[in-house]
Amino acid sequence: MSWSPETQSFLKHSPPPAASPPARGSSQSPAPKSQFTHRHLLQLAAFYASCPLRVVAHMDIDCFYAQAEMIKRGITPEKPFAVQQWQGLIAVNYAARAFGISRHTTATEAKKLCPALQCQHVATWKEGDDKWAYHDDAAANMATHKVSLDPYRKESRSLVALVKENLPPHLQRVEKASIDEVFLDLSAHVHAVLMQRFPELSGPPPSDDPDERLPMPSVLGLHWQDDLLVGIDDGETTAELEDPDWDDVAMNIGSEIMRGLRTEVRRRLGYTSSAGVASNKMLSKLGSAHKKPNSQTIIRRRAAQNFLSGFKLTKIRNLGGKLGEQVCMAFMTDMVVELLKVPIEQCRHRFGDDTGTWIYNVIRGVDHNEVNPRTQINSILSAKSFRPAINTTDQAIKWLRIFVADVHSRLVEEGILENRRRPRTISLQHRHGSQARSRQSAIPQGGPLDHETLLDLATNLLGQLSLEGGVWPCSNLSLTVSGFEEGVRNNTAIDSFFPKGGHVLPMAPPVALLKPGTSRAAEEDSTGPAPKRPRRPDGIERFFPPKGVQKTKGGQSMLGRPSGKQPGQQQRGLSDAYVRDEYMSDEPASRAPANHQQTPVAPGYTCDQCDAGFETGTELQCHQDWHFAKELQDQEGRVRPRVARNAAPTTHAPDNTSNSQHGAGASSSSSSSRRPGRPKKTEPGQGRLNFEPFE
Ligand code: TTP
Ligand code: CA
Ligand code: CA
């Protein structure tokens, strides 16, 4: 829906709703009025994040991987069932949870707690295979298997497609929040239903004043069916609400929409789910986790503060990491109910005006984050942690082959064969002891992006890392393709190889092509007959970088091509975060204990905004807090160094430099050592909020 500039300005200048509506039937006000106005209604139709009638829902599938496997195998919900990864459990159904089994239980312990428990190991890629499969012996063969989450990704796609199909196309905003979750901004949909059911709302304001209050709703009570309705004070209720105002009616319509949607998910895909319906993302997410499985929780505006009072601060979205910890330390409590006593001035004094105000508001249930209707992925990662570490190039290449098969099969799902979507960048991350390094290069845009091309590019990157030494033993490798372009025609990007003079610009070609006697130009000129691909050299010679390729320096690509933004290429900014499945690493994102012969394996956590890799969920959370705080700051467009200057949570923290790495530069590198111009690492005790812009 698009609004004229006049309408937009009209919508923006909205006074907040009155604190409370005038009493019904009071002598001063014979015709009872709502606390909401005609302007609020228009804001609702236009998805205004600050609209007090806003309705946002969050839906999360119950014990997702477990249900996925159970549905596939026709196992009924009352049978205890868990999904296993190596010796740990990564999803446990509710029948098994009744025996005290959780994601922290090992498969062996779980069997003791419930001998009838059925465990299914996740599908794996077996070393040497070119397709994932369910292997009975996977748990005992961690060194030669790599987890495939393809079955769950496929289900996740069906879920998002079904949700979108079942909401009116022009009134929906769907954000895929993780592999089994979506946020929905139901505002415009709810507005349409309101107009249909309450024709008295559809006319212009009688006095032409948009700030004129609406009449009170012509309903005496609202029915919430089986939903859990969070109460205004202690206790929860499913009872009707007397004297509802329009925000309650809007929420009631939202809950009806969600009930219908969840029923459809159950009917068509077989999954039970839980949902939270509230006025914003933060509350709706807390709501969906409040009562599981197969339930939905409604948090009306008037119940928000009561609902939040019982939570620890760190349970609130974006406060689960360092920022949350700092707030708890600053005010000596982690309970929201206590933090509600802290005056706004103190919050601002400790955390700066913007962040302080945000903290003050969020614990009161105020959150104006938009539901971001991205449902497409913008990067694909395949990774493996090695215990024991690997020590040779041959071993590494075996894994690169698997990564390539994994990434390629997902590229096919993204439409690579039809040139619907195509990534621009490939990167290889490597871990040796505590040192993490990565190399990336552009993906040539002409010609097919097949296994062989991907393997050449990946092997080339490994070669570049090898040249620097310090590669073995290697404890983790991961391959990422990112920066997807939409609707790439077969040869569209080939044009970009030809500068005005008609010379071919080289783009990180496979190493083999740079061996003496091979013609790079002939190979890349896919407008002519395809030349026969030269034999790939074996052994270490593969790892020497092409002639003329140097490490990135001063914005120049490794091939001397400027790595800046290319014409027509979209610059990737912080707001362009892509949707990525939560648990894409080979290891359980948890806490799942390692098997008895092996030391625990650090899960590979990757930031969905900048590709930075982390070993633990806490590190990732802390890093994401940094993004979040910076985004807040950027939104304000102001810079107020208070707590710390230029502080970033890790050396991976994104800045302009790392964003530009996602550009079309032919090749670039990054490592965990600090580079000039990068933000300094936080000192112990130093805060991390408020930033100066990066030059
Ligand atoms: P969750 O939604 O966190 O959990 P769940 O769906 O299993 O259970 P719940 O009913 O409480 O929502 O995660 C979704 C899937 O992601 C989960 O089924 C398995 C995977 N996962 C991991 O592999 N490791 C983890 O640490 C977590 C939290 C999830
Ligand atoms: Ca879930
Ligand atoms: Ca989830």
Side-chain angles (χ1 to χ4, degrees):
M1 194 176 304
S2 66
W3 298 85
S4 68
E6 296 78 41
T7 313
Q8 286 190 19
S9 136
F10 161 78
L11 288 169
K12 262 184 203 146
H13 298 107
S14 163
S20 57
R24 233 175 244 220
S26 80
S27 54
Q28 295 97 330
S29 173
K33 290 279 183 186
S34 161
Q35 58 180 312
F36 302 101
T37 65
H38 288 265
R39 195 194 301 271
H40 292 141
L41 274 182
L42 283 170
Q43 290 179 338
L44 186 69
F47 293 108
Y48 263 61
S50 54
C51 172
L53 296 170
R54 188 181 190 214
V55 183
V56 172
H58 179 261
M59 178 168 68
D60 180 281
I61 302 293
D62 301 323
C63 56
F64 178 47
Y65 291 6
Q67 279 204 81
E69 298 295 350
M70 290 163 69
I71 292 166
K72 191 181 287 177
R73 292 168 170 72
I75 296 167
T76 47
E78 71 285 355
K79 301 246 166 66
F81 184 92
V83 175
Q84 185 176 345
Q85 182 166 309
W86 317 131
Q87 287 300 310
L89 301 182
I90 53 171
V92 178
N93 80 351
Y94 282 78
R97 290 187 202 189
F99 289 85
I101 300 169
S102 76
R103 201 176 270 132
H104 305 275
T105 320
T106 63
T108 320
E109 285 164 8
K111 283 273 186 192
K112 281 187 203 149
L113 289 169
C114 171
L117 177 74
Q118 190 176 338
C119 288
Q120 171 63 51
H121 198 280
V122 289
T124 53
W125 296 84
K126 188 177 170 188
E127 200 176 353
D129 285 1
D130 57 4
K131 177 90 191 78
W132 58 262
Y134 289 94
H135 295 279
D136 289 341
D137 60 349
N141 291 295
M142 187 178 170
T144 50
H145 286 248
K146 179 186 141 36
V147 165
S148 168
L149 301 184
D150 276 11
Y152 314 125
R153 287 195 194 95
K154 191 162 166 273
E155 291 299 291
S156 183
R157 278 196 297 274
S158 307
L159 173 72
V160 174
L162 188 135
V163 165
K164 290 171 112 179
E165 233 173 72
N166 279 275
L167 294 172
H170 304 299
L171 302 177
Q172 61 174 256
R173 260 197 196 175
V174 180
E175 174 180 333
K176 183 180 172 187
S178 89
I179 199 161
D180 74 333
E181 294 167 29
V182 284
F183 280 111
L184 309 170
D185 192 330
L186 299 173
S187 300
H189 190 172
V190 165
H191 177 267
V193 177
L194 273 176
M195 293 298 137
Q196 224 172 33
R197 290 192 191 162
F198 302 93
E200 68 267 29
L201 294 180
S202 52
S207 59
D208 258 359
D209 174 7
D211 293 321
E212 187 174 317
R213 289 179 177 194
L214 298 165
M216 282 298 272
S218 50
V219 285
L220 286 178
L222 297 168
H223 298 271
W224 300 93
Q225 312 262 350
D226 291 336
D227 295 355
L228 192 144
L229 189 65
V230 173
I232 296 161
D233 40 40
D234 284 350
E236 284 153 348
T237 170
T238 51
E240 292 177 0
L241 177 76
E242 281 182 19
D243 277 355
D245 203 338
W246 291 111
D247 57 344
D248 304 309
V249 177
M251 205 62 80
N252 189 255
I253 294 170
S255 77
E256 210 180 298
I257 296 170
M258 281 315 286
R259 219 176 294 124
L261 200 57
R262 289 176 43 244
T263 305
E264 230 13 44
V265 169
R266 180 82 192 264
R267 194 175 70 80
R268 302 259 304 274
L269 302 176
Y271 293 96
T272 65
S273 60
S274 300
V277 184
S279 54
N280 58 51
K281 287 169 89 169
M282 184 268 293
L283 285 170
S284 67
K285 169 126 177 135
L286 285 174
S288 71
H290 190 60
K291 189 173 173 235
K292 275 182 152 277
N294 202 16
S295 310
Q296 62 184 42
T297 299
I298 316 298
I299 305 127
R300 294 157 299 150
R301 230 163 48 96
R302 57 175 94 192
Q305 190 148 334
N306 176 45
F307 179 64
L308 283 172
S309 299
F311 281 96
K312 285 194 168 180
L313 182 81
T314 46
K315 291 280 171 221
I316 294 179
R317 209 167 157 259
N318 297 314
L319 285 168
K322 272 276 176 323
L323 174 57
E325 255 173 48
Q326 286 179 354
V327 177
C328 298
M329 267 163 56
F331 302 118
M332 312 278 285
T333 177
D334 62 354
M335 293 306 297
V336 171
V337 69
E338 293 300 317
L339 290 164
L340 286 170
K341 297 175 189 158
V342 178
I344 190 164
E345 294 74 27
Q346 265 191 50
C347 285
R348 287 179 170 163
H349 178 72
R350 298 300 288 259
F351 294 97
D353 282 0
D354 303 331
T355 310
T357 307
W358 178 80
I359 294 166
Y360 182 87
N361 282 330
V362 86
I363 59 176
R364 286 164 175 78
V366 178
D367 166 33
H368 293 159
N369 264 307
E370 300 270 355
V371 170
N372 187 347
R374 287 171 287 104
T375 49
Q376 284 197 315
I377 57 161
N378 201 24
S379 97
I380 294 174
L381 172 145
S382 188
K384 172 81 184 166
S385 289
F386 306 111
R387 290 289 184 277
I390 57 168
N391 279 301
T392 68
T393 303
D394 279 355
Q395 278 178 304
I397 290 180
K398 271 188 192 159
W399 286 108
L400 288 187
R401 276 185 205 289
I402 290 182
F403 295 171
V404 161
D406 184 14
V407 166
H408 189 263
S409 73
R410 284 149 63 192
L411 282 171
V412 169
E413 283 161 8
E414 289 299 306
I416 190 81
L417 299 180
E418 304 84 27
N419 279 307
R420 270 205 314 274
R421 307 191 76 214
R422 185 178 171 111
R424 295 189 65 93
T425 309
I426 181 164
S427 60
L428 184 70
Q429 294 81 34
H430 169 277
R431 179 168 285 276
H432 163 68
S434 60
Q435 191 190 30
R437 285 184 295 155
S438 73
R439 286 289 175 279
Q440 71 178 46
S441 70
I443 294 172
Q445 294 297 299
L449 187 50
D450 53 16
H451 280 80
E452 199 173 355
T453 311
L454 284 169
L455 189 62
D456 274 337
L457 290 164
T459 315
N460 200 340
L461 295 173
L462 180 65
Q464 292 175 31
L465 286 164
S466 302
L467 270 188
E468 287 186 3
V471 174
W472 315 116
C474 162
S475 58
N476 182 288
L477 268 181
S478 63
L479 186 70
T480 310
V481 294
S482 56
F484 277 81
E485 260 193 341
E486 312 297 317
V488 200
R489 280 180 298 114
N490 221 349
N491 288 332
T492 315
I494 289 177
D495 295 348
S496 65
F497 291 150
F498 294 95
K500 296 226 166 73
H503 299 293
V504 174
L505 281 179
M507 292 271 294
V511 177
L513 301 183
L514 289 137
K515 277 183 55 87
T518 59
S519 152
R520 180 195 295 146
E523 181 74 8
E524 284 183 347
D525 184 0
S526 49
T527 52
K532 204 164 169 272
R533 193 180 277 271
R535 187 187 69 82
R536 266 214 313 264
D538 298 311
I540 196 69
E541 60 184 313
R542 276 182 66 65
F543 292 132
F544 288 99
K547 254 190 212 141
V549 174
Q550 291 118 32
K551 274 204 269 171
T552 315
K553 225 175 179 181
Q556 282 294 106
S557 76
M558 293 180 69
L559 292 165
R561 183 168 172 237
S563 60
K565 196 177 164 188
Q566 301 296 305
Q569 180 214 343
Q570 263 200 333
Q571 181 75 44
R572 199 174 139 192
L574 279 176
S575 57
D576 186 20
Y578 46 85
V579 177
R580 176 190 290 224
D581 296 341
E582 247 171 340
Y583 307 107
M584 299 209 307
S585 132
D586 189 46
E587 316 318 328
S590 53
R591 323 38 134 171
N595 79 27
H596 53 284
Q597 314 137 327
Q598 292 162 320
T599 46
V601 177
Y605 288 81
T606 310
C607 171
D608 61 2
Q609 301 202 39
C610 68
D611 279 348
F614 298 89
E615 282 213 346
T616 65
T618 314
E619 281 175 27
L620 173 63
Q621 177 70 59
C622 157
H623 169 88
Q624 284 175 336
D625 284 354
W626 180 86
H627 271 300
F628 177 71
K630 183 163 189 313
E631 220 165 333
L632 266 182
Q633 177 105 13
D634 290 349
Q635 274 167 18
E636 292 298 324
R638 291 196 301 271
V639 175
R640 238 178 255 110
R642 273 277 165 91
V643 182
R645 295 160 70 89
N646 268 3
T650 79
T651 50
H652 285 291
D655 56 15
N656 291 343
T657 324
S658 62
N659 276 343
S660 70
Q661 282 173 7
H662 296 279
S667 184
S668 65
S669 68
S670 65
S671 85
S672 59
S673 60
R674 213 163 78 75
R675 285 187 277 149
R678 302 210 105 196
K680 277 192 202 118
K681 223 177 167 175
T682 321
E683 298 302 326
Q686 188 185 18
R688 289 194 302 101
L689 300 174
N690 290 319
F691 307 85
E692 285 180 331
F694 302 122
E695 294 305 323

